[in-house]
Amino acid sequence: MAEDRDLYPSTADTQKTAESGTCPYETGNAGELHQTPGDAPTLTTAQGVPVADDQNTLRGGERGPALMEDFHFREKIFHFDHERIPERVVHARGYGAHGYFECTEAIPELTSASLFQEAGSKVPAFVRFSTVAGNKGSFDLARDVRGFAVKLYTEEGNWDLVGNNIPVFFIQDPIKFPDLIHSVKAEPDRGFPQAQSAHDNFWDFISLMPESMHMVMWTMSDRAIPRSFRFMEGFGVHTFRLVNAEGKSHFVKFHWKPKLGLQSVVWDEAVKINGADPDFHRRDLWDAIRNGDFPEWELGVQIFDDAFADKFDFDVLDATKLIPEEDCPVRIIGRLVLDRTVDNFFAETEQVAFCTQNIVPGIDFTNDPLLQGRNFSYLDTQTKRLGGPNFTHIPINAPKCPMHHFQQDGHMAMHNPTGRANYEPNSWSKGGPRADPRRGFKSYPEELEGTKRRLRPESFADHYSQARQFYISQTKVEQDHIANGLTFELSKCVVEDIRLRVLSHLQLIDGDLAQKVADGLGHDLPEPATPARAPVDLKPSDKLSILKNGPSSFKGRKLGILVSDGMDRAVYDALVEAVEAEGGMVEVVAPKVGGVTASDGSKLAANQKIDGGPSVLYDAVAVVVSTQGAAALAGMLPGKQFLSDAFGHSKFIAMTPEAATLLEASGVNGTDEGMMTLRSPADAPAFVKACRAVRFWQREA
Ligand code: HDD
């Protein structure tokens, strides 16, 4: 069987072919929805039979019974009844986009992987971002790990790097994965809570699994509430191998670094965003790509050898540990650009099947037990979720390089080779493909020895040192957020023993942190836990902080401008110009979605009505209103909250002098350097420049 990329047109094209006609409902062609019936293709059944009436079922008599012979009705309902497939058992809620990976620095001395052989070479990519715990219909800003799964369609097969936005994991051994996921998902008797770890079962499990302490510090930090998929890092987590053409191997850890810098929201904002726009992250990605502001990440590698691994404080096969960038620098070798939204959510984002076992020649696994366990789980789960072994025939999963193999039949087989030879070896003259030892995948011939046992190695025993390193690497603001996150989550645990058990672990991480959380909960500190191995002090690492790695401009960010009738149009225009010059976006929020009339008589359309456009949706806000407009907004709760929330979330705020009434009504007392007055259009650029820092954190302090 031979396939090539021409066999894999975009979903919309596939749909066209499948329906043997043009599809009138392609995304982006909404205008075609309004074509006259005369221009539209004839509706048919799935069998291709033209349909005469799609409004009424077939009946016996005007008010008589529906008839079983109505094959159009039965086929339509039958297909509808089967539209859903099982959602992913974890990472059910996700959003994908297409793009490409470009090699920017060739590394043939490290790997024979085809995509790293030549600077400037590109391969197509598909990326799916996700939350872990929530159901498919849950909200985007849950406090949770974000999946960062990348499928790279290389010339030598698909390479899936199925990572997260956090470089470590909760557990060391895959046999604990079902327990971890059971504990974080809705409790089985009551079916709640949805998409959150703030409940007894999760903290009960965590407090009994000290190896999770490092990851818990990350999930209680603002890393777990990213502002956008575009502003977060991705990590391959495990140690992998790169193997060059001579068979020499190096260890590698993979990093995706967002070009726009790191940014998260604050917890109160996350809670409110979930109400205001549960699709906040997916909408953000969609809007950015549709606006041509293509998100981009650099691919970095940490390369090290056995000698480094041997002298490293921890085991490089332990997925609960990272290698600080200060100890092993990240070398940038490529870039990932997402430049195309999906045509069909189900066909692409829902049916994409990532498998950690999908690697290509030049890349190999290590003995990280978690990675080895994942290699079983992903293939297995796809078979169940997508209905059989032929999920690789689905366009989004199919390689875009030639394929030749003897796999055949099964449910929904789409690639059905012709000819007689379906086994190997055979003696037919065109007997099909053969293995090629010169270019085929070869596993790195690592020497193995040992006794068959179930065990946790001694080198995996330190569970607290890197958790402490993470905490002391944060700014004061970030440390406070971690303490608040822990306090909030534990306050949702009904059972006091669970809270106390977590406090006993926190003392081994950082005494001040433990005390802050204990104070927040209203508990005395219990005895510290007894560690399997005493923690050691490690140097702080700046790369672990979000705020130390924030943006350098307002690019990719959004300014929300609250306007009213009688507003100063020139000030508004100057703001828009300054934001656009920076590469940012503007959204107009008005008392009515129909927009406003400015003082010069010009009309301004609105993107949001005030109660649908709270300030939590924006990175910074401006209020450009007339005196009357300010007074009217001051009489509306959403008007007041627009400013009070922006202030409470440490955002930069600019206001025309007329906004004073609204400011007063919103309960914000006084001003600070994060608040600026727009006396004239000339003030706009300075405000937007200040917004580069994204938050005015001094206010929180
Ligand atoms: Fe997993 C999905 C990431 C450990 C078993 N995982 C899944 C996805 C991501 C990750 C991003 C969503 C892929 C998509 O968008 O379709 N998982 C990770 C990372 C881990 C990890 C970074 C630790 C380093 N996972 C892990 C373990 C197991 C699994 C230890 C089981 C032993 N993960 C699965 C799964 C999922 C999955 C059950 C559910 C849906 C899917 O695979 O396609 O097989």
Side-chain angles (χ1 to χ4, degrees), residues 305-559:
D305 55 15
D306 285 301
F308 177 94
D310 290 344
K311 68 175 178 11
F312 183 55
D313 291 329
F314 306 96
D315 198 322
V316 300
L317 301 183
D318 173 358
T320 66
K321 306 296 184 306
L322 53 79
I323 301 179
E325 294 189 30
E326 287 78 3
D327 296 349
C328 180
V330 173
R331 177 172 163 190
I332 302 301
I333 58 165
R335 65 189 196 112
L336 171 72
V337 179
L338 297 182
D339 61 359
R340 185 158 66 86
T341 53
V342 293
D343 293 319
N344 182 302
F345 179 85
F346 178 81
E348 295 153 71
T349 306
E350 202 53 19
Q351 293 199 114
V352 67
F354 295 93
C355 298
T356 52
Q357 66 164 27
N358 290 354
I359 53 169
V360 291
I363 300 173
D364 208 345
F365 309 114
T366 59
N367 291 326
D368 176 340
L370 203 73
L371 175 58
Q372 295 290 342
R374 292 178 74 193
N375 286 341
F376 164 71
S377 184
Y378 290 72
L379 183 64
D380 183 46
T381 203
Q382 308 309 359
T383 316
K384 155 96 178 174
R385 195 170 68 81
L386 297 167
N390 288 323
F391 65 86
T392 54
H393 298 196
I394 300 171
I396 193 71
N397 295 323
K400 296 182 194 288
C401 63
M403 287 182 285
H404 311 270
H405 55 74
F406 292 107
Q407 292 161 21
Q408 66 173 34
D409 303 350
H411 284 293
M412 313 286 173
M414 295 292 154
H415 305 160
N416 300 301
T418 54
R420 192 167 182 182
N422 60 352
Y423 58 94
E424 196 274 344
N426 65 62
S427 62
W428 303 110
S429 66
K430 288 188 178 163
R434 296 287 188 274
D436 181 349
R438 286 162 309 170
R439 59 181 291 255
F441 180 89
K442 287 198 201 106
S443 293
Y444 178 70
E446 182 182 2
E447 301 223 342
L448 299 176
E449 61 174 26
T451 320
K452 187 158 72 175
R453 278 192 297 165
R454 291 181 187 273
L455 84 156
R456 202 60 71 89
E458 184 54 29
S459 55
F460 282 37
D462 178 348
H463 303 319
Y464 302 97
S465 302
Q466 286 208 345
R468 176 187 299 176
Q469 180 180 38
F470 178 76
Y471 184 70
I472 62 169
S473 301
Q474 309 299 314
T475 60
K476 164 88 173 54
V477 168
E478 291 171 299
Q479 288 185 340
D480 288 346
H481 290 184
I482 293 172
N484 293 344
L486 282 160
T487 309
F488 174 85
E489 295 260 322
L490 293 175
S491 68
K492 292 281 180 181
C493 293
V494 178
V495 178
E496 186 178 320
D497 278 356
I498 295 175
R499 291 183 229 137
L500 295 175
R501 222 183 296 141
V502 176
L503 286 172
S504 73
H505 291 294
L506 292 182
Q507 291 181 77
L508 296 176
I509 297 174
D510 186 276
D512 286 347
L513 171 66
Q515 192 61 60
K516 264 193 223 167
V517 178
D519 290 348
L521 292 169
H523 287 314
D524 292 332
L525 274 178
E527 285 297 305
T530 311
R533 185 191 284 177
V536 294
D537 282 324
L538 301 169
K539 284 192 304 264
S541 162
D542 281 352
K543 295 289 180 186
L544 302 180
S545 149
I546 299 173
L547 295 188
K548 294 177 194 169
N549 297 280
S552 52
S553 80
F554 200 62
K555 182 169 164 47
R557 272 77 185 173
K558 210 183 249 184
L559 177 72

Side-chain angles (χ1 to χ4, degrees), residues 105-107 109-110 299-303 328-334:
E105 188 196 328
I107 48 167
E109 72 286 5
L110 293 173
L299 176 64
V301 284
Q302 283 179 301
I303 304 286
C328 180
V330 173
R331 177 172 163 190
I332 302 301
I333 58 165

